[in-house]
Amino acid sequence: MVSVCVLCAVETETTPHLFLHCTFTVALWRWPGAYYTVQFDNSSFLSIFGSYNHAWSMQVQQLALATITHVFHTIWMARNVIRFNNASIMLQATKMKIHFTITLDSDLLSLFFDLLFLPFAVQFYLCLLY
């Protein structure tokens, strides 16, 4: 049995439609591009992961990957909330959820650097002195 996409209520729900081509998800893919000054290419799953600039620093690349992951996850969660809880989803609230999780990820990445890499760098530097 074919079901209609609960995010747009227009097209048949297929995996490519739900995550790439639905009007709701297209708006989500356009939104984070403003932060990275890049247009996420949502023509295919592979093209999304190839959208970020490989000249970016490793931290920015990791944040871009976190953004992509959170957009996929948020689309799936929004779909399930609508389908199983008969709720409605606002695009702005969805964007804010993604923004919050990306911010949390960047804080955790910074903490990871401070707790793991920085002590290693200090020890390495001290070894060079002696």
Side-chain angles (χ1 to χ4, degrees):
M1 184 165 107
V2 178
S3 61
V4 174
C5 174
V6 295
L7 296 176
C8 69
V10 175
E11 300 288 331
T12 302
E13 184 182 286
T14 63
T15 302
H17 170 78
L18 181 65
F19 290 103
L20 303 173
H21 307 299
C22 174
T23 54
F24 183 85
T25 60
V26 167
L28 283 179
W29 286 119
R30 287 186 182 145
W31 170 72
Y35 287 107
Y36 299 104
T37 61
V38 66
Q39 182 66 40
F40 284 100
D41 178 4
N42 61 320
S43 60
S44 72
F45 291 103
L46 287 177
S47 64
I48 286 177
F49 288 99
S51 294
Y52 63 87
N53 187 338
H54 296 283
W56 291 339
S57 70
M58 183 57 71
Q59 185 176 13
V60 174
Q61 286 185 37
Q62 289 173 345
L63 286 175
L65 183 58
T67 300
I68 292 167
T69 304
H70 287 303
V71 170
F72 279 130
H73 179 258
T74 302
I75 291 167
W76 182 246
M77 295 305 292
R79 178 245 187 224
N80 288 339
V81 165
I82 294 169
R83 181 166 304 276
F84 300 117
N85 297 340
N86 201 26
S88 61
I89 300 292
M90 302 295 292
L91 183 61
Q92 188 60 30
T94 306
K95 290 176 181 179
M96 290 178 67
K97 180 184 183 301
I98 295 168
H99 186 277
F100 174 77
T101 54
I102 294 167
T103 302
L104 184 61
D105 276 356
S106 67
D107 291 344
L108 290 174
L109 189 61
S110 176
L111 181 64
F112 173 79
F113 177 81
D114 291 345
L115 292 177
L116 296 178
F117 181 74
L118 197 55
F120 173 77
V122 169
Q123 287 178 347
F124 181 75
Y125 177 73
L126 290 176
C127 287
L128 291 176
L129 292 177
Y130 297 103

